[in-house]
Amino acid sequence: MLSSSWFFFSFLFFLVRRGLEVWGMENNGRLVPMPKSSHGKFFSGSAYIILSTAVLKSGLTRHDIHYWLGKDANEVDASMASDKAIELDAALGSRAVQYREVQGFETEKFLSYFKPCIIPLEGVFSSELQGLGGKSYRVSLLSCTGDHVVHVREVPLSRSSLNHSDVFILDTQSKIFLFSGRNSSMQERAKALEVVQYIKENQHGGRCEVATLEDGMLVGNSDSGEFWSLFGGYAPITGDRPGTDQMETNMSSTKLFWINKGKLFPMDAPSLNRGMLSSDKCYMLNCDAEIFVWMGRMTLVSERKTSISAIEEIVHSQGRSTSTRTTFLTEGSENVKFKSYFSCWPETLTTNLYEEGRGKVAAIFKHQGYDVKELPDNSSQPFIDCCGDLKVWRVSCHGVSLVPAGEQGKLYSGDCYIVQYTYTGNERDNHLFYAWLGKNSILAQIFEGKEPVLFFAIFKSLIIFKGGMSPAYKKSITQRGLTDETYDKDSTALFRVQGTGPDNMQAIQVDQVSTSLNSSYCYILQDGSFIFAWTGSLSLPSDHDLLNRMLDEINPLKQPMLVREGSEPDIFWSALGGKAEYPREKDIKDYTEDPHLFTCVFTEGDYKGKEIFNFTQDDLTTEDVLVLDCHDEIYVWIGLHSNVTSKEQALNLGKKFLQADILQEGLSIDAAVYVIAEGNEPPFFTRFFHWDDSKAYMHGNSYERKLAILKGSSQNVEAPDRGFRKAFKRYSSEHTPDGSGRKLSISDGLYVRDGSSDSSLVMEEPSFNSRKVEEIILEDCEDNDTDDVLEKLPYELLKVPSSMPITGIDVTRREAYLSAQEFQEKFGMSKKAFYQLPKWRQNKLKSALSLF
């Protein structure tokens, strides 16, 4: 038996290493570190310990420990694995969350480490046998379930194992068969294809055939006949997926037990609260399908081992399902799900270690007389070109009016504005629309003060005044008998100056009282004939530069009086209504939260979301709606084949997500919400992924795309028009900001909230100025008088409906695939002449020919 001290010094080395570490347990109890090439290759007769380490943006380190038990692992190995996991947690400072993983019932977090899948091997792990394989190839039948992570289970090679709900892989020495149940989703089929690719590369050396079959396909081709012959011939499948024993958590049956010397003592109480947990005890929270073991920080390692052993023995003696998941938490490492069972759990403040440390070091050097300059903050980078074209409209009950270019950097708190920003990216124009809602506006809930970095960046210099200029604001304050606070250059006004540099600076009018001051900022105070420039004692030279620049913006004709904090004249305090206490501590910026990706389902008024761990671009499946949670702002990503039909619906999903606050991170209901359409992802969204543009421009559903990649065919085209109007229904507002008199549809990217709204609206609009198929053809016709850009297909395959429907094309541009001769015959004109017609005329002609 290895001692705890051995584990401490052995594992201590890994404290500074982020990523994944895996140890296999041999029969003699020795843990053997696994090379990266062997990660995910588990033997069903052994146990393994997995450590996942991530360094968060807050500067903190997060550890997750999993011990995996193969279905044939013996009790000795299982007990030893749980003991070593406890020792590892102690070596890491008792800060890790521990998970018990059982083969076939692994958590999605565990499976996300080993994408696309894990396929345990028969036998027992031995370090001497690593890399060795058998000579004979064993035919196997695998069941694949899951939309974003795949649970792969080997099932008996029998026709009775098949069902209509799952996807199955039949792996033989010369060919891999993929059988898709008729009720399986496209996402499941696509993920199963990733497993096929994995098997082909890792078990066949990339040299084998792949055949895909649909449920219900009779012996109509050689692949189908060969598949069914391995089952003794074709016969109908009798049923759906067998009922799983994985039960939903029942809140009413949740019970808390104190664990003492291997026995359970119930903690009877009407509801659970944090005060029931003592730091010198261990507890079990029984949630039916899931069990939590909570271990107080003052408990000994030996007590924790005893408690865990007792729980595992009790679970086994009660005949609990093998799918029952067990999570072990040391005091202070509680996850969101555990805390959700308690009616009262005090919030803990997580400090930004980087910002706090940087501030203290800067203060020391500044005190010594050094000129301290701040390094740029990556979190404030806009990630797009901020030298584009900006237009701003003020919204009122009578319509919208364009704000003159010289005034568009000045917004009023009592008004609402529509902001259009056009920038160049990926060799095309992109349009970004914001609806900015002043905190005192009567059209919607307040969102001033929650602006994202990008909003400020596109304005470069922005002043936010109190009051408003719109008739709606004036009417509102009159009806309510309120004082008009609209900014007047001759009245008293106080502005807080903030920003990151000359291209991102703001002056925000605040209440002209002493309590509005803060030592971390600079302020501009104007009072009749005087104007003061006040610098806080904790402000930096870069802040002083912004102060000077904003003075020129607010009132360039007056000579300011420079005032340092602590040396204010009496007239300064008099203008603020007298001296009073105000914040004098360093205003430390909150750290940027690590992003989280969630699936998003909204049915019958109920919102459901599930986190996708260790997400990649491949998790953005075209049939889904996903939410990327970045705390201060969220992105609702809409796949082209999803069932969301309007941006209004997408925004409602975003609002529901903010209200749900799944991670209990204190999301603000006023956080910015971006709506992103598949194929039009902007750089400030793609920066969260290792982005491959070629994947973003593929046609078909997720299954067809994966199949094309597997078979080596490419469906990529150059930034096509994604058929956005097909995915999103048209939605019109009554007024048009550009003054054209036409109605703006939702496909134009503008959405104006009415008075019943209470969520922020910021939208990323897919560009319709991208190089569309017809534009490419027009260019080619002008240059060569031909159109050999696209593959040519006959009319009979392209029309809708067709006896032999074609896949892998842009279905919104079916006519583009016709040859020049057939196009002339059908339309009575050339392609060049056709694409010069108005769009409505094009659609009418296409509809008459069943090509629309």
Side-chain angles (χ1 to χ4, degrees):
M1 180 68 67
L2 298 176
S3 66
S4 298
S5 60
W6 184 91
F7 274 87
F8 178 84
F9 293 113
S10 297
F11 289 132
L12 190 60
F13 172 74
F14 297 108
L15 288 178
V16 295
R17 295 179 58 177
R18 67 178 69 187
L20 206 64
E21 301 293 337
V22 181
W23 293 269
M25 181 172 291
E26 294 190 307
N27 281 336
N28 59 6
R30 187 170 69 97
L31 285 181
V32 178
M34 308 281 289
K36 191 172 183 179
S37 59
S38 295
H39 287 184
K41 296 180 181 179
F42 301 135
F43 284 89
S44 59
S46 298
Y48 296 79
I49 290 180
I50 297 90
L51 169 64
S52 172
T53 301
V55 179
L56 305 180
K57 291 185 178 181
S58 63
L60 299 175
T61 301
R62 184 188 66 208
H63 301 290
D64 290 296
I65 301 172
H66 306 255
Y67 64 94
W68 184 89
L69 307 176
K71 62 182 179 62
D72 299 323
N74 58 49
E75 293 184 10
V76 174
D77 287 345
S79 176
M80 188 172 294
S82 66
D83 285 351
K84 299 311 177 187
I86 286 289
E87 293 175 4
L88 174 55
D89 177 42
L92 296 170
S94 297
R95 297 182 287 120
V97 178
Q98 303 168 57
Y99 304 86
R100 180 177 182 266
E101 308 282 355
V102 178
Q103 180 179 340
F105 300 97
E106 297 87 353
T107 61
E108 293 196 354
K109 173 175 278 192
F110 178 81
L111 292 175
S112 71
Y113 302 142
F114 308 105
K115 292 182 178 180
C117 64
I118 61 171
I119 305 178
L121 305 173
E122 294 295 326
V124 178
F125 166 75
S126 172
S127 57
E128 298 178 358
L129 297 178
Q130 286 195 58
L132 299 180
K135 295 181 179 180
S136 62
Y137 198 88
R138 189 173 65 88
V139 177
S140 59
L141 180 63
L142 305 173
S143 167
C144 300
T145 57
D147 291 346
H148 290 280
V149 294
V150 189
H151 286 86
V152 180
R153 301 183 181 94
E154 185 172 356
V155 295
L157 184 56
S158 168
R159 188 188 302 110
S160 61
S161 296
L162 302 175
N163 61 62
H164 297 304
S165 300
D166 295 331
V167 183
F168 295 86
I169 297 172
L170 179 59
D171 181 21
T172 71
Q173 186 168 9
S174 60
K175 185 180 289 188
I176 303 174
F177 297 88
L178 179 76
F179 177 86
S180 300
R182 67 184 178 212
N183 296 329
S184 61
S185 68
M186 286 300 168
Q187 297 98 309
E188 283 185 306
R189 299 181 187 192
K191 284 299 178 183
L193 280 174
E194 293 182 8
V195 178
V196 170
Q197 181 74 32
Y198 173 83
I199 295 173
K200 179 180 178 181
E201 292 177 354
N202 291 275
Q203 299 184 22
H204 294 269
R207 295 183 298 275
C208 74
E209 296 182 51
V210 174
T212 57
L213 296 91
E214 297 287 336
D215 186 3
M217 182 185 296
L218 300 178
V219 186
N221 58 53
S222 58
D223 288 334
S224 179
E226 186 177 353
F227 174 81
W228 288 112
S229 69
L230 294 169
F231 293 93
Y234 174 79
I237 298 174
T238 57
D240 265 329
R241 177 187 304 158
T244 177
D245 52 6
Q246 179 83 4
M247 296 177 292
E248 292 293 330
T249 299
N250 185 352
M251 291 289 291
S252 62
S253 63
T254 300
K255 296 181 180 179
L256 182 67
F257 296 87
W258 169 40
I259 309 171
N260 184 26
K261 297 180 181 180
K263 295 183 179 181
L264 299 181
F265 298 88
M267 305 279 291
D268 295 326
S271 62
L272 303 180
N273 61 77
R274 174 63 178 86
M276 298 174 67
L277 305 178
S278 176
S279 296
D280 60 351
K281 293 181 175 65
C282 295
Y283 300 85
M284 180 187 81
L285 183 65
N286 184 5
C287 306
D288 288 338
E290 186 168 14
I291 291 174
F292 293 92
V293 178
W294 186 91
M295 301 168 287
R297 184 168 292 278
M298 303 301 293
T299 57
L300 302 175
V301 171
S302 58
E303 292 179 276
R304 299 175 190 178
K305 288 182 179 180
T306 300
S307 297
I308 291 176
S309 297
I311 295 301
E312 292 184 341
E313 184 177 341
I314 291 171
V315 169
H316 180 72
S317 64
Q318 291 179 350
R320 298 284 286 270
S321 167
T322 54
S323 65
T324 302
R325 291 174 177 168
T326 309
T327 304
F328 307 100
L329 305 162
T330 308
E331 182 179 0
S333 67
E334 300 86 358
N335 57 22
V336 172
K337 191 169 185 180
F338 176 80
K339 291 189 287 188
S340 68
Y341 292 105
F342 292 78
S343 59
C344 180
W345 194 279
E347 293 185 9
T348 56
L349 180 63
T350 304
T351 58
N352 186 340
L353 302 180
Y354 171 71
E355 289 289 343
E356 186 177 19
R358 184 173 70 167
K360 291 180 179 179
V361 172
I364 293 173
F365 277 96
K366 188 174 180 181
H367 183 71
Q368 296 295 327
Y370 291 95
D371 183 16
V372 179
K373 295 182 178 180
E374 281 194 289
L375 293 174
D377 183 2
N378 289 333
S379 65
S380 64
Q381 299 302 311
F383 295 97
I384 65 170
D385 175 19
C386 289
C387 295
D389 181 44
L390 177 66
K391 292 182 179 179
V392 180
W393 291 268
R394 181 182 289 112
V395 182
S396 71
C397 55
H398 301 296
V400 293
S401 57
L402 184 66
V403 177
E407 298 293 318
Q408 64 187 13
K410 300 175 181 179
L411 307 182
Y412 287 83
S413 291
D415 296 336
C416 292
Y417 298 84
I418 296 169
V419 179
Q420 176 190 354
Y421 181 69
T422 303
Y423 65 97
T424 301
N426 294 329
E427 300 182 353
R428 66 183 185 186
D429 284 343
N430 299 277
H431 304 285
L432 179 64
F433 286 85
Y434 286 94
W436 187 88
L437 311 174
K439 67 181 181 180
N440 294 324
S441 67
I442 63 168
L443 294 181
Q445 180 73 22
I446 64 170
F447 305 111
E448 178 187 343
K450 295 294 183 180
E451 299 89 348
V453 170
L454 181 58
F455 181 83
F456 285 142
I458 64 177
F459 274 92
K460 300 185 184 299
S461 175
L462 178 64
I463 304 174
I464 298 178
F465 295 109
K466 281 178 171 289
M469 302 296 289
S470 67
Y473 171 77
K474 302 295 185 184
K475 181 180 179 181
S476 172
I477 61 173
T478 300
Q479 290 177 341
R480 291 184 290 174
L482 302 177
T483 303
D484 188 352
E485 294 183 314
T486 303
Y487 170 75
D488 182 349
K489 64 180 181 180
D490 295 324
S491 62
T492 302
L494 180 65
F495 296 88
R496 183 181 71 244
V497 178
Q498 63 185 38
T500 60
D503 291 332
N504 186 341
M505 58 182 185
Q506 304 86 42
I508 300 174
Q509 187 176 358
V510 296
D511 294 337
Q512 52 262 24
V513 292
S514 304
T515 53
S516 295
L517 299 176
N518 187 307
S519 299
S520 298
Y521 293 97
C522 296
Y523 290 80
I524 296 172
L525 173 63
Q526 68 172 40
D527 181 31
S529 58
F530 297 99
I531 186 166
F532 297 93
W534 186 86
T535 57
S537 60
L538 298 178
S539 62
L540 299 172
S542 58
D543 299 322
H544 304 163
D545 178 60
L546 298 183
L547 175 65
N548 293 329
R549 292 175 183 271
M550 293 310 299
L551 282 167
D552 292 336
E553 296 278 348
I554 292 177
N555 201 328
L557 300 179
K558 290 185 179 180
Q559 180 65 31
M561 297 176 58
L562 300 180
V563 177
R564 292 182 179 274
E565 182 179 4
S567 60
E568 300 86 353
D570 291 339
I571 191 174
F572 177 87
W573 295 118
S574 177
L576 295 178
K579 190 175 182 179
E581 287 298 318
Y582 56 85
R584 299 175 187 269
E585 299 295 326
K586 177 66 177 177
D587 188 10
I588 299 176
K589 180 183 177 183
D590 290 338
Y591 64 87
T592 304
E593 293 278 355
D594 290 79
H596 299 266
L597 186 66
F598 292 85
T599 58
C600 189
V601 180
F602 185 57
T603 56
E604 299 179 357
D606 184 28
Y607 171 83
K608 294 182 180 179
K610 182 172 66 175
E611 183 169 4
I612 300 173
F613 300 100
N614 300 302
F615 62 84
T616 66
Q617 183 183 354
D618 288 336
D619 289 309
L620 302 176
T621 47
T622 187
E623 294 84 9
D624 285 331
V625 178
L626 302 169
V627 175
L628 184 65
D629 174 15
C630 300
H631 189 74
D632 291 332
E633 55 194 24
I634 67 171
Y635 300 82
V636 181
W637 182 90
I638 309 207
L640 287 178
H641 292 79
S642 70
N643 58 4
V644 170
T645 56
S646 71
K647 283 190 173 177
E648 181 180 18
Q649 187 179 358
L651 287 166
N652 285 335
L653 284 173
K655 176 184 173 182
K656 290 288 185 182
F657 181 88
L658 292 173
Q659 291 174 337
D661 195 8
I662 296 174
L663 296 179
Q664 298 183 14
E665 54 186 320
L667 290 178
S668 170
I669 193 63
D670 298 335
V673 179
Y674 289 84
V675 175
I676 310 291
E678 181 186 1
N680 295 277
E681 296 85 355
F684 54 87
F685 174 79
T686 60
R687 65 191 173 103
F688 297 106
F689 305 82
H690 294 293
W691 197 258
D692 181 354
D693 281 327
S694 65
K695 293 181 179 179
Y697 297 142
M698 294 191 72
H699 293 303
N701 58 42
S702 55
Y703 173 73
E704 292 169 337
R705 297 178 190 186
K706 293 292 184 183
L707 187 60
I709 294 174
L710 179 65
K711 294 191 173 182
S713 60
S714 175
Q715 294 179 314
N716 296 344
V717 295
E718 182 178 354
D721 179 356
R722 303 297 295 176
F724 194 79
R725 289 171 178 83
K726 173 185 175 184
F728 294 99
K729 293 179 179 177
R730 297 183 67 85
Y731 177 91
S732 297
S733 64
E734 291 299 325
H735 305 285
T736 165
D738 58 9
S740 64
R742 67 183 180 90
K743 287 187 176 182
L744 282 177
S745 71
I746 194 66
S747 59
D748 292 310
L750 175 62
Y751 180 83
V752 182
R753 291 247 178 207
D754 59 19
S756 63
S757 305
D758 61 351
S759 70
S760 78
L761 170 61
V762 188
M763 295 187 293
E764 166 63 16
E765 168 56 24
S767 172
F768 291 102
N769 295 324
S770 58
R771 298 189 68 215
K772 300 178 183 177
V773 174
E774 61 259 42
E775 294 172 334
I776 298 173
I777 294 174
L778 274 174
E779 289 181 8
D780 195 73
C781 290
E782 292 170 354
D783 295 338
N784 307 311
D785 199 29
T786 64
D787 72 299
D788 55 0
V789 179
L790 299 175
E791 177 186 7
K792 297 301 167 285
L793 298 170
Y795 170 76
E796 293 300 320
L797 296 182
L798 293 168
K799 71 177 183 178
V800 181
S802 171
S803 58
M804 298 178 62
I806 193 72
T807 59
I809 65 170
D810 186 348
V811 294
T812 66
R813 302 286 182 265
R814 293 178 180 273
E815 78 287 351
Y817 296 89
L818 291 171
S819 66
Q821 180 180 353
E822 194 168 17
F823 191 99
Q824 182 71 40
E825 293 174 358
K826 297 295 183 184
F827 286 90
M829 66 184 74
S830 67
K831 289 188 178 181
K832 180 177 180 180
F834 174 83
Y835 287 122
Q836 289 175 338
L837 295 174
K839 177 63 72 174
W840 68 267
R841 179 64 176 162
Q842 293 180 26
N843 291 340
K844 188 173 182 179
L845 292 173
K846 288 162 59 177
S847 180
L849 292 169
S850 300
L851 291 172
F852 186 69

